[in-house]
Amino acid sequence: RRGFSHTVVLAACTALLVGALDETLQSFNPVRTASIYDLMADGVGALMGAVAGLKTVRIRTRSL
């Protein structure tokens, strides 16, 4: 269970890193624009996914 928590946190951090990389790459494309708000939305989505994953595992392990 503790190992899973670390895995979820690592997944959320990886998602945020991918979002930052995406925003960086967009800054080099003249058609696209990089936005700190888009990066913040990526971070919020990663955090919400991590929390949902942890809650789901806690609920499932209680019912077993």
Side-chain angles (χ1 to χ4, degrees):
R1 187 171 175 183
R2 183 174 172 86
F4 181 77
S5 299
H6 292 310
T7 302
V8 171
V9 169
L10 180 62
C13 290
T14 302
L16 186 57
L17 182 65
V18 169
L21 179 63
D22 182 44
E23 291 302 313
T24 302
L25 293 175
Q26 283 182 15
S27 70
F28 296 110
N29 187 342
V31 180
R32 309 274 313 253
T33 58
S35 169
I36 189 70
Y37 299 113
D38 194 21
L39 181 58
M40 288 175 17
D42 291 341
V44 168
L47 183 61
M48 289 173 61
V51 169
L54 288 172
K55 294 283 185 185
T56 301
V57 167
R58 286 185 182 149
I59 290 170
R60 292 194 62 151
T61 55
R62 265 193 231 141
S63 65
L64 293 177

